[in-house]
């Protein structure tokens, strides 16, 4: 299997743009997905298939892909966006992989 | 209401067994593959195991292969995880998760989790 690498933490001020990266050798062949997890809560899907946004997720959440790196972008960050964010993918054998997670702090 | 409810967690001694259950409601359970994902205290998400809609295909993380067995009963809308030879490092909150659709490898519905603590 392979690993997905995320920065442990990202900090931004309210209203600014937060970018969280996720990199791995296999990403160009597999989609990436992003989850938001707030303390004491289950994860919530915020981006699927690299850049698609589920219904009910605010438009300020977007995803992009370039080479071996996918990026979750949160534009106009709000205090409520403070959470842990995880990228996820799956290899060709169907093994699911999560990144280590990124703690987003809203200053 | 569309939901997943896990149960069966608790305190167990190293080397013993435990069986987790996940009750699904509000959707056609046998249309979807299902997975278990765990989260050790203060740590990140770790995929544990997955099973296809008809139980024809299963997969396991290397860390649990040979010790854990995933199964499902579509007639009861239930998912299970039999955990044998438990270790301290299996201590975690175990989530049941539903895939978004056939052939999809991401999760659009999660339960609230059931806590497993392995300690003597």
């Amino acid at each position: 299997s392979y690993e997905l690498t995320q920065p442990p933490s990202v900090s931004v001020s309210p209203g600014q743009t937060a970018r969280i990266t996720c990199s791995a050798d296999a990403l160009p062949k597999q989609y990436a997905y992003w989850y938001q997890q707030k303390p004491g809560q289950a994860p919530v899907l915020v981006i699927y298939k690299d850049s698609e946004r589920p219904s009910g997720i605010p438009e300020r959440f977007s995803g992009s892909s370039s080479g071996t790196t996918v990026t979750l972008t949160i534009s106009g960050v709000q205090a409520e966006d403070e959470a842990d964010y995880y990228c996820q993918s799956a290899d060709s054998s169907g093994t699911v992989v999560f990144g280590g997670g990124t703690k987003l702090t809203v200053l | 209401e569309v939901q997943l409810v896990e149960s069966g967690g608790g305190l167990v001694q190293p080397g013993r067994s435990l069986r987790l259950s996940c009750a699904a409601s509000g959707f056609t359970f046998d249309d979807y593959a299902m997975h278990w994902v765990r989260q050790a205290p203060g740590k990140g998400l770790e995929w544990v195991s997955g099973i296809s809609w008809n139980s024809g295909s299963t997969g396991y993380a290397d860390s649990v292969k040979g010790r854990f067995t995933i199964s499902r009963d579509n007639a009861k809308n239930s998912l299970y995880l039999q955990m044998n030879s438990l270790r301290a490092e299996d201590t975690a909150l175990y989530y049941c998760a539903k895939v978004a659709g056939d052939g999809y490898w991401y999760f659009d519905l999660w339960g609230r989790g059931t806590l497993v603590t392995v300690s003597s």
Side-chain angles (χ1 to χ4, degrees):
Chain A
S1 61
Y2 62 97
E3 293 184 358
L4 299 177
T5 301
Q6 299 179 234
S9 63
V10 169
S11 299
V12 295
S13 298
Q16 291 190 329
T17 297
R19 294 180 178 85
I20 301 172
T21 58
C22 174
S23 61
D25 290 343
L27 275 175
K29 300 179 181 179
Q30 304 292 340
Y31 284 120
Y33 315 97
W34 290 95
Y35 301 89
Q36 176 194 68
Q37 187 181 35
K38 296 182 178 180
Q41 298 183 20
V44 172
L45 179 72
V46 294
I47 293 291
Y48 65 98
K49 291 185 180 180
D50 292 349
S51 60
E52 300 293 322
R53 191 174 55 251
S55 61
I57 300 301
E59 291 184 6
R60 63 180 181 273
F61 287 86
S62 64
S64 61
S65 176
S66 179
T68 59
T69 300
V70 291
T71 302
L72 172 68
T73 300
I74 310 172
S75 304
V77 168
Q78 300 181 8
E80 66 196 52
D81 299 330
E82 186 163 285
D84 294 326
Y85 291 85
Y86 295 90
C87 63
Q88 178 244 309
S89 190
D91 66 19
S92 55
S93 69
T95 298
V96 173
V97 180
F98 286 95
T102 299
K103 181 177 180 59
L104 176 66
T105 300
V106 182
L107 301 171
Chain B
E1 181 184 2
V2 177
Q3 64 176 355
L4 299 169
V5 180
E6 303 92 336
S7 60
L11 175 63
V12 61
Q13 294 180 329
R16 302 299 291 265
S17 299
L18 205 60
R19 188 194 195 207
L20 305 184
S21 299
C22 170
S25 59
F27 64 96
T28 305
F29 182 68
D30 55 12
D31 276 351
Y32 299 94
M34 297 292 296
H35 293 250
W36 289 98
V37 177
R38 69 184 181 184
Q39 187 169 34
K43 303 297 184 181
L45 301 173
E46 179 189 15
W47 176 74
V48 174
S49 182
I51 187 168
S52 62
W53 67 274
N54 64 354
S55 305
S57 176
T58 59
Y60 300 91
D62 289 343
S63 58
V64 306
K65 200 170 293 183
R67 300 188 299 123
F68 289 12
T69 302
I70 191 171
S71 62
R72 64 190 295 162
D73 185 336
N74 288 343
K76 296 182 178 180
N77 289 342
S78 293
L79 176 72
Y80 307 102
L81 186 67
Q82 177 67 42
M83 304 185 295
N84 298 332
S85 304
L86 283 162
R87 307 166 179 167
E89 53 265 36
D90 295 318
T91 294
L93 185 64
Y94 284 73
Y95 292 104
C96 167
K98 165 190 166 292
V99 299
D102 186 29
Y104 293 158
W105 295 99
Y106 64 100
F107 313 115
D108 64 350
L109 181 66
W110 298 66
R112 297 179 65 87
T114 186
L115 182 62
V116 173
T117 303
V118 183
S119 175
S120 55

